[in-house]
Amino acid sequence: MGSLETGISVMRTAASRNGKQSSLSRTVMVCSRFFLFKRLDYVQWICSVLVFLVFVTFFQTFLPGSVVEKFKEDSVEDVEVIPENFRRLKEIGGFDFGEDIRIEPTKLLEKFKREGSEVHLSSSSSFNRSQHRFEYRKPQLALVFPDLLVDPQQLLMVTVAAALRELGYAIQVYSLKDGPVLNIWQSLGVPVTILQAGAKVEIVVDWLNYDGILICSLEVKDIISSLMQEPFKSVPVIWTIHERTLAIRSREYASSGQTALMNDWKKVFNRATVVVFQNYALPMIYSKFDTGNYYVVPGSPAEAWKAKTGMKLDVDNPRVAMDFGPDFLIVVGNQFSYKGLWLEHALILQALFPLFANNTNSQAEIIVLSGELTSNYGMVIECIAFNLGYPGGVVKHVAFDGDVDGVLSMASLVIHGSFLEEPSFPEILTKAMSLGKPIIAPDLPSIRKHVDDRVNGYLFSKENITVLTQIILQVISNWKLSSEALSIALKGKETVKNMMVLDTVEGYALLLEDVVKLPSETAPPKAVKNIPPILKNEWLWNLFEAFINSTYEDRTWRSFKFLENIEKRWSHSQIEHSRSLTAVDDSFSYESWQEVKNIQIMTTKRRREEEELKDRTDQPRGTWEYVYRTAKRIGHNKNDLHERDEGELQRTGQPLCIYEPYYGIGTWPFLHNNSLYHGIGLSTRGRRPGMGDIDAPSRLPLLNDPYFRDVLGEYGAFFAIAYRIDRLHKNAWIGFQSWRATARQASLSKVAESALLNAIETRKHGDTLYFWVRMDMDPRNNLQHDFWSFCDAINAGNCTFAFSEAFKRMYGVELDLNSLPPMPEDGTWSVMQSWALPTRSFLEFVMFSRMFVDALDALMYDVHHQSDRCYLSLSKDKHCYSRLLELLVNVWAYHSARRMVYVNPETGVMQEYYKLKNRQGKMWVKWFTFSTLKGMDEDLAEEADSDHPKRRWLWPSTGEVVWQGVFERERNLRNKEKEKRKQRSKDKLARMRKRYHQKALGK
């Protein structure tokens, strides 16, 4: 099937509607138009001639020679020989009704099917563990719009959102601009956030809070671009496109050589998990951007909206503007093109011929609405009409990518001109019914689903074309529509008002089931059958009644303006880039290079002379020039900026430094810039320029491995900071704060920061874990369950099992499977890795964490590394056990007898939980004491340093390998170096004593 592209003009035929031409002159005219105006190459010309010859042969060979005369003389019932001949042609392959055409997203459906089958395969079979789902929260969806103006797309999404809420989804609306629909969303109880007020879009949203994102319109390209950055690249995105403007504009991009802009749009299309269209024609015209993620959810209230709001054509007399006659107009239309289409149009034109056979002076016209502006299909239609005996100018062709609405608005009757079994109701019939036009269509399943014969339209069998002629003669009498036809047209207009609501609502609900992978703490949505009938049968027109009579703003014009702004912005960036390249090229001119080279030669010569004279002079210090040059070289080699130096000095002079681990550009808006905070990038490529952030992979090479960077998450930052911490961290206390806490507005305020620093400086609580993001306020724990229940909920029910297995492996003892460190049920715990500790205690915690993570990795690495599956998640998850590690600091702090104090992030008010006197007898102190952990750490270090085991082992890569043997070896090396220096000094003194001394002259 060829791609169907849209256009903005209507093709006009040059022939006069009343012209009487002979067969010879008609043929000459067609051929001259063919060669002068079509501009076809030889291949197209040959194909067109062959089509014409086959068509003529078909009519002369298989059809009765007196078929035209039969329509003039005989009754309609005597023409039943025609379908038999057509069936004969179909059997021998002479033509088809498009049965070979399949319009469905094959690749995407196969992907959904494959992923669905993988889910049913028990991923826990390798671990012999079952997985469970806990209904602690609703699935979260975000809906993103370019604005909140009143239009059919808002009506569609409001209806869909209302249905999704009935299924159990929680919805948040984001918009780039405000509008009247804000009140409608708020009346439904849906929170709305306006992302920007000015010209520049600044997106500060933690998209990881949502299980799926539904984006509407091309005008939210900037939102999708932000979702192309880490850490948001894995969030499922469903992008609904209802505009044709980009497809039209892309032709200009291709012709003008703007390949960079085309590639940029292709990247945006590729980012979407699914690109949703509202009909099956849009995927065809957007074929240039297809990356295998196209999908169709049919249905839209757009046409009914146009009719209901009374939108008018731009011209006062469109018939005159389009060169159509003033009387009866029959439109034969369809939107798809395929190889058997011309013969289907021939059948319909033949069925219509009796209207004209006995009425040669009629003022009626037939418009065949199909094909493209660039095709030669109009010539084919003219040939068909000529061979059927139509008067000249009666049958005309208009490309479907022209002004379809204008043509249909002038039509008296609309016939669906295709026998192709389309997957959804044809768009041309929707347009015609919304305009109140009687429709006649073949009895196909997709049409019969919404059209009842002689109730809201007329149906005929494609295998018995004579029924179409019967219907035509009943509908039209003396070139006037019958009263029955007018009544049926009114019922059709009422039908189209709420047509395909069920298809749309169920389509989005089922698509979300396939695309969105819910975590284990999330309640699954209800079945689609639970949607209330009113939301499946009607659009929510009642919410928009107040806006129906308001001025409707054409979205097409707004979309074109948006694309123009994108093009201007792109052109400006390209100009700036070329200017920068030109500046760089100018700076490397030959004259400048020669001057620099001469300076370097002179400097080298002077340095050589100074080195040769060094032994002959008594001056012990270098020259001022040498000192200046050395200082300048050091300044150039230093990567840090002066602002960084000032920030480092400020951090050194304060008792606390809070590190903010981050990964990806998308986290930058949530990071702090003052001296109390210090960013640490988990990836070198995503670091903030000029901010002095720590490069974690350079400190801990393990983080260069994407697998361990993802699976450790923020724990990688802990290990990187602790590795030779004295070279980086100069503060007595150390803290960490997740950027997601800032996104949730749970980070420390200025008041809370001051309160925390004051408590640290005054030693108010001693060795304490301060935390400011509480588990009982976490959205994942709305039911406020206890510690281990919450941990199980976010880890598919296997947190306690995994912790117990790792604990046993870590300590090398056999414990009861149910023996877990007890954690009080009534209390508050830290989440999201936002806490502060004394630096010495932090190193002890890291020592414990390294051994625990190593034990956990030994249990899960093999299966998880190969398949991305583990029993702590219901689906593939590259961050498999990061949720378990998120809570590990609570277990260590509680059982190592640290005080635990909650700091209110807004007010700074502090409250201590789990006081030590109440913990006595409940803590497993012997497992968490420093001496126990230090002994285990030294044993592992001795094994790694002495035995060099060949097995895969994570622990040595997470930090320093330090034990007593290392200290002794380093001390021996230092002693050897010291002895060598002493020996060199003795040898030098001996040479000086043996050196010949010339006697003084004159003595």
Side-chain angles (χ1 to χ4, degrees):
M1 182 192 304
S3 175
L4 180 63
E5 299 180 346
T6 58
I8 58 175
S9 62
V10 178
M11 185 174 180
R12 303 179 184 179
T13 56
S16 173
R17 58 178 296 274
N18 293 322
K20 300 294 184 178
Q21 297 177 335
S22 64
S23 176
L24 178 61
S25 62
R26 180 69 176 175
T27 305
V28 170
M29 185 199 72
V30 171
C31 293
S32 62
R33 289 181 58 211
F34 176 74
F35 283 102
L36 292 177
F37 298 103
K38 296 302 179 181
R39 298 181 181 177
L40 301 177
D41 56 19
Y42 286 108
V43 176
Q44 291 174 314
W45 179 79
I46 293 171
C47 292
S48 301
V49 172
L50 289 175
V51 169
F52 179 78
L53 293 176
V54 170
F55 179 79
V56 174
T57 304
F58 156 70
F59 271 90
Q60 292 179 351
T61 305
F62 293 98
L63 294 180
S66 59
V67 70
V68 177
E69 287 74 9
K70 282 190 177 183
F71 275 110
K72 294 179 180 179
E73 301 173 0
D74 300 337
S75 64
V76 177
E77 287 78 3
D78 296 333
V79 199
E80 295 184 357
V81 67
I82 298 174
E84 181 61 33
N85 289 331
F86 288 162
R87 281 190 288 270
R88 179 184 173 190
L89 275 175
K90 187 175 181 180
E91 291 173 1
I92 66 175
F95 71 99
D96 60 65
F97 291 138
E99 286 88 348
D100 60 330
I101 300 173
R102 302 295 296 174
I103 308 176
E104 61 181 17
T106 306
K107 294 182 180 179
L108 200 59
L109 292 175
E110 290 178 354
K111 178 183 177 183
F112 291 159
K113 184 177 180 180
R114 183 175 62 255
E115 291 179 350
S117 62
E118 289 178 356
V119 170
H120 292 297
L121 292 175
S122 178
S123 61
S124 60
S125 58
S126 301
F127 304 98
N128 194 24
R129 293 295 302 171
S130 59
Q131 297 166 303
H132 305 282
R133 182 178 293 279
F134 298 77
E135 301 182 3
Y136 282 12
R137 69 171 179 88
K138 295 181 178 180
Q140 304 287 323
L141 296 179
L143 269 65
V144 184
F145 299 97
D147 53 53
L148 295 177
L149 300 178
V150 179
D151 62 15
Q153 189 65 19
Q154 286 284 344
L155 173 58
L156 183 148
M157 294 312 300
V158 164
T159 306
V160 170
L164 294 178
R165 293 186 69 201
E166 292 292 334
L167 295 181
Y169 289 95
I171 295 177
Q172 165 78 48
V173 169
Y174 291 96
S175 177
L176 301 182
K177 294 181 182 178
D178 200 352
V181 187
L182 172 65
N183 297 328
I184 295 178
W185 286 111
Q186 291 178 343
S187 67
L188 292 175
V190 176
V192 179
T193 301
I194 307 300
L195 291 178
Q196 71 154 7
K200 184 179 179 181
V201 179
E202 185 177 1
I203 302 164
V204 187
V205 179
D206 180 9
W207 300 112
L208 295 180
N209 288 328
Y210 302 100
D211 303 301
I213 304 174
L214 278 72
I215 298 180
C216 304
S217 178
L218 292 170
E219 299 177 40
V220 288
K221 176 179 181 292
D222 291 330
I223 301 291
I224 301 179
S225 298
S226 70
L227 292 167
M228 295 169 64
Q229 307 293 343
E230 292 288 359
F232 306 131
K233 293 175 69 174
S234 60
V235 181
V237 174
I238 298 175
W239 186 17
T240 299
I241 299 177
H242 56 275
E243 308 97 331
R244 297 173 178 259
T245 49
L246 178 59
I248 299 172
R249 209 74 171 188
S250 63
R251 304 174 189 171
E252 300 178 11
Y253 301 157
S255 60
S256 60
Q258 294 178 288
T259 55
L261 184 56
M262 284 284 292
N263 293 335
D264 182 62
W265 274 107
K266 287 180 181 179
K267 291 179 182 178
V268 175
F269 273 80
N270 188 48
R271 167 57 186 95
T273 310
V274 181
V275 179
V276 176
F277 298 98
Q278 297 173 355
N279 57 60
Y280 286 87
L282 285 173
M284 296 172 63
I285 67 176
Y286 277 99
S287 59
K288 296 178 181 178
F289 305 100
D290 188 6
T291 59
N293 56 353
Y294 283 5
Y295 194 78
V296 177
V297 177
S300 171
E303 301 303 329
W305 180 283
K306 292 178 184 178
K308 197 175 182 65
T309 55
M311 292 188 65
K312 299 179 180 180
L313 295 174
D314 295 333
V315 292
D316 296 333
N317 194 345
R319 284 180 180 269
V320 176
M322 294 185 178
D323 196 23
F324 296 151
D327 293 336
F328 206 87
L329 186 65
I330 301 174
V331 175
V332 179
N334 64 285
Q335 57 185 341
F336 297 115
S337 299
Y338 46 93
K339 62 183 180 180
L341 179 62
W342 65 275
L343 198 50
E344 296 171 8
H345 284 163
L347 292 174
I348 295 176
L349 290 176
Q350 191 172 13
L352 292 175
F353 187 78
L355 291 174
F356 298 86
N358 298 319
N359 215 339
T360 57
N361 295 323
S362 69
Q363 299 294 311
E365 293 180 353
I366 299 176
I367 303 298
V368 178
L369 188 62
S370 64
E372 305 170 359
L373 285 171
T374 56
S375 70
N376 63 335
Y377 195 69
M379 189 196 69
V380 176
I381 293 299
E382 290 179 5
C383 292
I384 293 174
F386 171 74
N387 282 274
L388 287 174
Y390 276 93
V394 171
V395 180
K396 298 180 181 180
H397 173 258
V398 173
F400 196 85
D401 50 359
D403 188 4
V404 178
D405 292 338
V407 174
L408 293 177
S409 66
M410 297 178 291
S412 304
L413 175 68
V414 177
I415 302 174
H416 187 53
S418 172
F419 301 155
L420 171 67
E421 295 186 5
E422 300 180 20
S424 64
F425 194 75
E427 181 182 7
I428 191 170
L429 293 183
T430 304
K431 291 177 177 290
M433 293 172 71
S434 66
L435 294 171
K437 310 296 180 181
I439 64 166
I440 303 176
D443 188 12
L444 302 175
S446 60
I447 299 176
R448 190 171 59 247
K449 182 178 179 181
H450 301 282
V451 177
D452 294 331
D453 189 24
R454 301 181 185 276
V455 176
N456 53 3
Y458 294 92
L459 300 178
F460 66 92
S461 173
K462 68 178 182 179
E463 302 294 341
N464 188 5
I465 210 69
T466 58
V467 176
L468 174 58
T469 306
Q470 297 174 6
I471 294 174
I472 290 293
L473 295 177
Q474 294 172 6
V475 170
I476 302 173
S477 178
N478 296 324
W479 298 111
K480 299 292 183 180
L481 291 174
S482 65
S483 59
E484 181 189 21
L486 294 175
S487 175
I488 288 175
L490 291 177
K491 293 181 180 178
K493 186 175 182 178
E494 186 65 24
T495 300
V496 82
K497 179 181 176 181
N498 292 302
M499 184 182 290
M500 301 179 69
V501 179
L502 176 63
D503 296 18
T504 303
V505 171
E506 288 188 349
Y508 276 99
L510 294 174
L511 180 61
L512 286 170
E513 290 182 4
D514 290 329
V515 172
V516 175
K517 308 302 179 187
L518 298 176
S520 58
E521 75 274 10
T522 306
K526 300 176 184 177
V528 176
K529 63 181 180 180
N530 293 316
I531 300 176
I534 188 173
L535 295 176
K536 293 190 292 186
N537 299 326
E538 297 180 5
W539 305 110
L540 295 180
W541 291 102
N542 59 308
L543 298 178
F544 289 79
E545 288 295 336
F547 307 103
I548 292 299
N549 296 324
S550 62
T551 303
Y552 176 77
E553 186 173 1
D554 188 9
R555 300 296 305 190
T556 303
W557 180 83
R558 289 182 55 85
S559 184
F560 270 116
K561 293 294 293 183
F562 168 75
L563 292 179
E564 288 178 358
N565 293 333
I566 292 289
E567 293 160 12
K568 291 178 182 178
R569 188 170 65 185
W570 186 268
S571 300
H572 180 72
S573 63
Q574 293 296 100
I575 293 173
E576 292 295 328
H577 180 66
S578 61
R579 287 178 179 175
S580 64
L581 291 178
T582 304
V584 171
D585 293 339
D586 292 342
S587 64
F588 287 99
S589 61
Y590 177 78
E591 291 79 9
S592 300
W593 174 81
Q594 188 67 30
E595 183 180 356
V596 173
K597 183 178 180 181
N598 293 335
I599 294 175
Q600 290 177 347
I601 293 174
M602 293 179 63
T603 304
T604 303
K605 184 177 179 181
R606 189 183 300 112
R607 185 184 299 114
R608 187 182 298 114
E609 292 176 354
E610 291 175 356
E611 289 175 354
E612 291 175 354
L613 294 173
K614 185 176 181 180
D615 294 335
R616 307 180 191 177
T617 179
D618 294 331
Q619 185 177 357
R621 295 179 296 274
T623 62
W624 281 109
E625 183 180 359
Y626 175 76
V627 174
Y628 173 76
R629 188 167 57 249
T630 304
K632 188 176 181 180
R633 187 186 308 117
I634 294 174
H636 282 304
N637 292 336
K638 187 174 179 62
N639 294 324
D640 299 338
L641 300 175
H642 293 293
E643 290 80 8
R644 287 181 55 185
D645 295 340
E646 183 179 355
E648 290 173 0
L649 289 174
Q650 292 178 357
R651 279 190 286 269
T652 303
Q654 61 193 17
L656 170 67
C657 179
I658 299 177
Y659 295 92
E660 292 183 302
Y662 67 90
Y663 174 54
I665 299 175
T667 61
W668 290 359
F670 308 102
L671 303 178
H672 292 78
N673 298 325
N674 57 34
S675 60
L676 179 62
Y677 298 90
H678 201 176
I680 174 168
L682 298 177
S683 175
T684 303
R685 297 180 59 183
R687 289 173 59 201
R688 293 182 295 176
M691 296 302 298
D693 294 342
I694 301 169
D695 183 18
S698 65
R699 292 188 55 82
L700 190 69
L702 178 68
L703 298 180
N704 287 312
D705 187 339
Y707 171 79
F708 287 106
R709 182 179 61 230
D710 292 334
V711 83
L712 291 176
E714 296 183 357
Y715 250 74
F718 301 164
F719 295 155
I721 295 295
Y723 185 66
R724 299 180 178 178
I725 190 172
D726 55 327
R727 300 184 181 183
L728 173 68
H729 183 73
K730 309 296 183 181
N731 310 88
W733 283 67
I734 187 173
F736 291 88
Q737 180 169 271
S738 173
W739 63 269
R740 300 197 64 189
T742 305
R744 192 185 293 179
Q745 298 181 351
S747 59
L748 293 174
S749 64
K750 295 295 183 182
V751 176
E753 291 173 2
S754 300
L756 178 60
L757 290 174
N758 181 66
I760 290 174
E761 290 175 347
T762 58
R763 300 180 180 179
K764 184 176 181 180
H765 300 97
D767 190 354
T768 305
L769 172 73
Y770 292 102
F771 63 98
W772 48 90
V773 183
R774 295 169 49 161
M775 187 182 75
D776 55 346
M777 296 182 180
D778 195 296
R780 298 170 294 178
N781 190 23
N782 291 330
L783 301 180
Q784 298 186 6
H785 285 270
D786 62 272
F787 181 86
W788 290 116
S789 297
F790 174 74
C791 189
D792 273 338
I794 62 177
N795 289 283
N798 290 311
C799 168
T800 54
F801 172 78
F803 193 97
S804 177
E805 291 296 311
F807 206 71
K808 290 192 300 180
R809 188 180 186 91
M810 173 181 171
Y811 286 95
V813 296
E814 292 294 335
L815 296 174
D816 185 5
L817 288 177
N818 296 322
S819 295
L820 288 171
M823 306 292 284
E825 295 183 2
D826 53 338
T828 300
W829 305 101
S830 171
V831 292
M832 296 188 71
Q833 308 290 11
S834 298
W835 41 262
L837 274 174
T839 301
R840 184 184 181 115
S841 297
F842 168 71
L843 293 177
E844 184 178 337
F845 169 61
V846 169
M847 184 166 56
F848 167 79
S849 299
R850 287 177 61 196
M851 292 182 286
F852 184 86
V853 170
D854 175 67
L856 192 64
D857 177 78
L859 294 172
M860 299 188 178
Y861 176 83
D862 292 333
V863 175
H864 183 245
H865 186 263
Q866 294 174 6
S867 63
D868 285 340
R869 291 188 175 277
C870 67
Y871 54 75
L872 297 179
S873 178
L874 297 177
S875 59
K876 289 185 177 180
D877 184 8
K878 60 183 180 181
H879 307 289
C880 173
Y881 45 86
S882 62
R883 295 176 298 278
L884 189 152
L885 297 178
E886 177 185 353
L887 303 175
L888 186 60
V889 67
N890 296 283
V891 180
W892 170 83
Y894 182 86
H895 290 280
S896 63
R898 260 75 180 181
R899 301 179 72 176
M900 305 181 70
V901 176
Y902 168 70
V903 182
N904 189 299
E906 295 182 2
T907 63
V909 176
M910 300 184 181
Q911 182 179 359
E912 183 177 357
Y913 288 89
Y914 323 114
K915 295 183 178 181
L916 294 177
K917 63 179 180 180
N918 297 330
R919 290 194 228 169
Q920 295 180 0
K922 301 178 181 179
M923 297 182 293
W924 288 15
V925 180
K926 64 178 181 179
W927 303 100
F928 292 86
T929 59
F930 176 76
S931 58
T932 301
L933 297 177
K934 184 60 178 175
M936 296 167 58
D937 184 78
E938 290 183 349
D939 292 341
L940 295 174
E942 182 177 3
E943 180 183 0
D945 185 57
S946 303
D947 300 340
H948 302 288
K950 297 182 180 180
R951 72 178 189 278
R952 193 199 66 81
W953 190 12
L954 179 62
W955 183 86
S957 302
T958 57
E960 292 182 272
V961 177
V962 180
W963 66 293
Q964 189 62 32
V966 174
F967 293 143
E968 293 177 358
R969 184 167 61 250
E970 291 179 351
R971 184 169 60 250
N972 293 334
L973 290 175
R974 289 194 299 268
N975 291 336
K976 290 181 180 180
E977 290 294 329
K978 185 177 181 181
E979 292 297 329
K980 289 182 179 179
R981 289 195 298 271
K982 288 182 178 180
Q983 187 62 38
R984 284 197 297 267
S985 298
K986 292 179 180 179
D987 294 342
K988 184 176 180 181
L989 291 174
R991 288 194 303 271
M992 293 175 64
R993 293 190 188 99
K994 295 179 180 179
R995 188 172 59 187
Y996 173 76
H997 296 276
Q998 184 177 356
K999 294 181 179 180
L1001 298 177
K1003 290 186 179 180

